């Protein structure tokens, strides 16, 4: 009966928990029964996200605190007006204002060569000799011609003396015939004959004297030919035209020398200058007598004092640069013409100038500026720069006395806190 009653009872059976089975991959998740509690996994995920957010905010606050509230140590300099020595720097090359390219004025093979590079020579010293066999033969010919011309002069002089004696005799005979004709001892024809003889002797004398002049002229020409031949032979011997150093030797023993080929080049060390180039905008700042410093090969340690000796009067139309010749007080132990160097010319010094170290200058968006420390924090200050003087630059506008300048701007940022300085001056 109870079974029958339960079979006819319309009330539903109480709900039982579903059997727990593992969920197969790809199988649909069973629906949550009505009235059942949802799973707790989403609540735990929300707690993890919140914790991560809190940690990130804490780290950001910590980083901001370190960046803007933890003071840094920097190197500062306190600016004050003072002495400023501006300067201009320009590249250049070594040159010599007294440079002789020594060659032969005649063509021939080099038979002797007695100099080498770096040899020191004095004016007139022997350098080389050119083969001159044909010139020596020509000299022998001119010497013979001179000797013949000298003998011709002697013969002409003897002839003049002979004719002068004949004329003297003819004139004496003419005087005697004149005396005799007046006394009636001789005839008129004898007197006329004496007159004719005297006139002939005078003509002979004039001819002899003319021949003597011609012979003497030929002798002078022969002497000139001898001098010319000797001069040509002397040209075969090459001598140093100036005191100096052999800086180049272009030909060797046995080479053919000609007027177009220089055998050696001689430079006077006292005339060596650094021909430096500067922009045309600074030409008014240059003047002879200014002191300068010369560096060679980029070696900051090798510095040589110099002086401006001349300012060029021509500007290159392409580079818009002019040249300044700077004479070094002392040359390096090893130097060479054409050697590159850098010249730093000292300009007129000024007092009361605000200047900053060049290394402290930075640029932001193409504008020059520096970092200052004000109220314990770093601030950016744009500046207008002027002339350069060594490792300092003139500041025209933007800074004033008492400003505290950061000398090394690397790693500096706006509003960076500064507690103390590594160096203050």
């Amino acid at each position: 009966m109870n079974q029958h009653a339960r079979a006819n009872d319309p009330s539903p059976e109480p709900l039982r928990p579903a059997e727990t089975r593992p969920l197969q991959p790809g199988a649909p998740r069973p629906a949550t029964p009505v009235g059942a509690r949802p799973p707790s996994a989403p609540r735990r995920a929300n707690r993890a996200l919140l914790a991560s957010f809190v940690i990130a905010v804490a780290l950001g606050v910590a980083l901001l605190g370190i960046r803007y509230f933890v003071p840094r140590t920097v190197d500062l300099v306190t600016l004050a007006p003072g002495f400023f020595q501006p300067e201009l720097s320009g590249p250049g090359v070594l040159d010599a204002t007294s440079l002789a390219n020594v060659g032969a004025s005649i063509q021939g093979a080099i038979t002797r060569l007695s100099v080498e590079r770096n040899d020191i020579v004095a004016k007139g010293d022997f350098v080389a000799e050119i083969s001159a066999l044909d010139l020596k033969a020509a000299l022998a010919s001119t010497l013979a011609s001179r000797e013949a011309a000298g003998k011709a002069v002697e013969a002409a002089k003897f002839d003049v003396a002979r004719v002068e004696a004949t004329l003297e005799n003819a004139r004496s005979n003419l005087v005697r015939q004149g005396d005799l004709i007046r006394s009636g001892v001789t005839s008129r024809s004898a007197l006329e004959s004496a007159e004719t003889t005297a006139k002939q002797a005078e003509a002979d004398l004039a001819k002899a004297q003319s021949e003597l002049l011609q012979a003497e002229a030929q002798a002078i020409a022969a002497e000139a030919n001898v001098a010319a031949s000797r001069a040509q032979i002397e040209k075969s011997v090459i001598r140093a035209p100036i005191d100096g150093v052999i800086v180049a030797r272009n030909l060797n023993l046995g080479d053919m020398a000609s007027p177009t080929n220089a055998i050696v080049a001689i430079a006077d060390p006292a005339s060596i200058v650094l021909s430096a180039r500067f922009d045309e905008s600074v030409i008014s700042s240059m003047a002879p007598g200014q002191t300068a410093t010369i560096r060679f090969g980029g070696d900051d340690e090798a510095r040589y004092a110099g002086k401006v000796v001349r300012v060029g009067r021509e500007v290159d139309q392409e580079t818009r640069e002019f040249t300044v010749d700077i004479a070094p007080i002392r040359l390096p132990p090893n130097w060479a013409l054409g050697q590159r160097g850098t010249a730093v010319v000292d300009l007129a010094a000024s007092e009361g100038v605000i200047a900053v170290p060049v290394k402290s200058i930075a640029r932001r968006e193409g504008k020059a500026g520096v970092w200052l420390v004000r109220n314990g924090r770093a601030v950016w200050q744009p500046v207008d720069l002027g002339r350069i003087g060594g490792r300092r630059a003139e500041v025209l506008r933007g800074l004033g006395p008492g400003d505290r300048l950061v000398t090394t701007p690397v790693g500096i940022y706006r509003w960076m806190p500064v507690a103390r300085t590594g160096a203050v001056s």
Side-chain angles (χ1 to χ4, degrees):
M1 182 173 181
N2 291 337
Q3 296 178 351
H4 181 74
R6 284 194 301 270
N8 294 330
D9 189 359
S11 59
E13 294 181 359
L15 297 175
R16 292 177 299 177
E19 295 181 1
T20 303
R21 293 188 179 92
L23 186 63
Q24 297 297 324
R29 181 180 297 273
T32 303
V34 178
R37 178 179 298 175
S40 60
R43 184 173 297 177
R44 289 195 298 270
N46 290 337
R47 290 196 190 100
L49 290 175
L50 179 60
S52 299
F53 176 76
V54 171
I55 292 173
V57 170
L59 289 176
V61 171
L63 291 176
L64 289 176
I66 293 174
R67 183 174 179 84
Y68 291 104
F69 295 99
V70 177
R72 307 290 182 87
T73 299
V74 297
D75 293 335
L76 294 182
V77 59
T78 302
L79 300 180
F83 177 84
F84 181 71
Q85 176 70 68
E87 59 189 30
L88 290 174
S89 177
V93 295
L94 275 186
D95 196 5
T97 58
S98 180
L99 176 65
N101 291 312
V102 183
S105 57
I106 60 175
Q107 186 169 347
I110 300 177
T111 57
R112 292 173 60 199
L113 187 59
S114 64
V115 295
E116 186 50 87
R117 296 177 185 87
N118 298 333
D119 286 351
I120 299 175
V121 295
K123 182 178 180 180
D125 284 352
F126 176 83
V127 174
E129 185 175 5
I130 309 299
S131 177
L133 296 178
D134 54 342
L135 297 178
K136 293 178 180 179
L139 176 60
S141 177
T142 57
L143 289 172
S145 298
R146 184 183 66 175
E147 184 178 359
K151 292 180 178 180
V153 170
E154 293 297 327
K157 288 181 178 179
F158 178 79
D159 193 37
V160 168
R162 180 185 59 79
V163 174
E164 286 178 345
T166 301
L167 176 60
E168 182 67 23
N169 185 43
R171 287 175 176 173
S172 298
N173 184 42
L174 179 60
V175 171
R176 287 194 302 271
Q177 291 296 325
D179 293 340
L180 292 176
I181 196 67
R182 283 191 295 272
S183 61
V185 175
T186 187
S187 63
R188 186 68 184 178
S189 61
L191 178 60
E192 292 175 353
S193 177
E195 289 176 350
T196 301
T197 302
K199 290 180 180 180
Q200 183 64 44
E202 290 176 353
D204 292 342
L205 178 59
K207 180 181 178 182
Q209 290 175 338
S210 176
E211 291 175 350
L212 175 59
L213 292 176
Q214 184 177 1
E216 289 176 342
Q218 290 177 347
I220 293 174
E223 187 66 36
N225 290 334
V226 170
S229 294
R230 285 177 174 169
Q232 286 294 101
I233 291 178
E234 289 179 358
K235 290 181 180 180
S236 66
V237 178
I238 312 302
R239 298 186 181 278
I242 60 173
D243 299 338
V245 178
I246 304 294
V247 295
R249 200 186 80 176
N250 305 316
L251 298 179
N252 299 313
L253 190 66
D255 288 344
M256 185 63 66
S258 67
T260 58
N261 295 330
I263 300 175
V264 296
I266 303 175
D268 183 1
S271 72
I272 290 179
V273 296
L274 183 78
S275 184
R277 304 186 307 276
F278 296 91
D279 187 79
E280 63 179 351
S281 60
V282 300
I283 191 171
S284 60
S285 302
M286 296 292 188
Q290 290 174 323
T291 58
T293 302
I294 301 174
R295 298 196 307 267
F296 293 102
D299 185 3
D300 291 339
E301 300 300 326
R303 297 171 180 264
Y304 297 88
K307 181 175 292 186
V308 175
V309 293
R310 67 184 60 84
V311 178
R313 299 305 180 192
E314 183 179 6
V315 174
D316 188 279
Q317 296 303 309
E318 294 184 1
T319 63
R320 309 308 304 175
E321 294 176 332
F322 69 102
T323 59
V324 175
D325 289 342
I326 301 171
I329 305 301
R330 178 177 60 87
L331 285 171
N334 294 321
W335 56 268
L337 296 185
Q339 181 180 357
R340 293 180 297 178
T342 301
V344 180
V345 180
D346 299 326
L347 304 181
S350 303
E351 290 284 355
V353 176
I354 295 291
V356 299
V358 173
K359 68 177 183 179
S360 68
I361 301 172
R363 293 187 179 273
R364 300 182 66 181
E365 298 180 354
K367 176 65 177 178
V370 295
W371 288 99
L372 301 179
V373 173
R374 291 174 179 167
N375 299 323
R377 293 189 178 272
V379 295
W380 170 260
Q381 177 62 48
V383 295
D384 292 335
L385 300 176
R387 300 167 296 177
I388 300 296
R391 298 181 179 179
R392 298 192 303 159
E394 179 185 22
V395 177
L396 302 178
R397 284 174 294 276
L399 298 178
D403 283 342
R404 303 172 69 196
L405 174 74
V406 179
T407 59
T408 305
V410 178
I412 306 300
Y413 52 89
R414 189 184 295 272
W415 308 123
M416 185 185 80
V418 177
R420 59 188 179 86
T421 63
V424 178
S425 60

